[in-house]
Each structure stands twice: as structure tokens, then as C-alpha cells.
Amino acid sequence: TTCNAEGVALAKKIINSPYLNLKGLYSHCGHSYNIDNGAEMKNIVHDDHAVIIEFLNLLADHLQTFDTSSLDISVGSTPSMFS
């Protein structure tokens, strides 16, 4: 996972690059593909949402001039879409 200081460092490099624009964050809960229990799937979806929000807050804490509210956020996987 890069939802930690390593991910923040990468995001900051992208934000500070004259050649790249950070447009959003994407989290894919790939571990949801073998789940056939609805309650367990909802827990995975909830956890994945919590991870991306936690990372977004961590990123915002490390940036002074970048507005994280402008980022597109995408979370999920095909199986988790149905939970």
C-alpha cells in the first residue's frame, strides 16, 4: 500500500512536477474478488473508503498550497460495486 508517508512523498513529487498534474486518487480493493458474503463485502468497502479518506487527510496535512478538495476520488472494484 502507498497510503502512508511513501504515498504522500510520491503525491508531493507529482504536485511539484512541471510535467505532471495530480488529478485524483484511486483505491482498488482487489481482495474483494473472492468474497461471497454480503456483510464481509460491506466491511471491505467500508475499510477501503476509510483508507482513502485517511490518506487524503494525511496528504492535506503535508501540503500548504494544494487544494485536495479538487481531486477526483475513486474507490472500489467490480465486486464491491454491488455491496
Side-chain angles (χ1 to χ4, degrees), residues 1-21:
T1 180
T2 54
C3 292
N4 54 26
E6 185 179 327
V8 168
L10 176 60
K12 287 172 72 174
K13 284 181 182 179
I14 293 169
I15 290 166
N16 293 323
S17 170
Y19 307 105
L20 300 172
N21 292 312

Side-chain angles (χ1 to χ4, degrees), residues 32-41:
S32 66
Y33 283 88
N34 295 322
I35 304 300
D36 58 3
N37 178 299
E40 189 175 353
M41 182 63 75

Side-chain angles (χ1 to χ4, degrees), residues 29 40-50 75 80 83:
C29 47
E40 189 175 353
M41 182 63 75
K42 285 184 180 184
N43 287 336
I44 287 173
V45 170
H46 179 270
D47 291 347
D48 208 41
H49 287 159
V75 178
S80 66
S83 65

